Amino acid sequence: MVTKQFTGSPEDADLRRADSLAREIFSDVANKWAFLIIEALGERTLRFSELRDEVEGVSHKMLTQNLRMLERYGLVERKVHPTVPPRVEYTLTEPGLALRATVDGMCGWTHQYLGHIEAARRRFEA
């Protein structure tokens, strides 16, 4: 995987540019599993199995991939406790908590407009 490098130029942060670092990050982070993981972690620490239970419908593979990606971007911290078997816990970092505020806003928007969206879908399908 080729990863864009931050150069400090304004183009790095321009989501409209196909070659921007911001678009690469946005593309990775803005997916349903990442959002649901961020929401589930909230302000608490969870083990892998607890996260899987919280995020209904996520497969082991998708949870693993998204946790690795969120860890790579510094949004989630993974802590391994030296026990047998090893106990692994996940928690949001400061940037992860900041992103959670956006995720919470999207969840609130969904709750507020769910009826409106569902009515529009019914009209569209008629």
Side-chain angles (χ1 to χ4, degrees), residues 5-15 17 19-22:
Q5 298 295 314
F6 180 67
T7 64
S9 70
E11 291 83 16
D12 288 336
D14 189 350
L15 282 173
R17 291 180 55 103
D19 64 344
S20 76
L21 178 59

Side-chain angles (χ1 to χ4, degrees), residues 35 103-118:
F35 277 15
V103 172
D104 285 347
M106 292 183 68
C107 291
W109 173 85
T110 303
H111 289 128
Q112 182 175 351
Y113 292 104
L114 191 59
H116 173 84
I117 293 167
E118 191 55 32

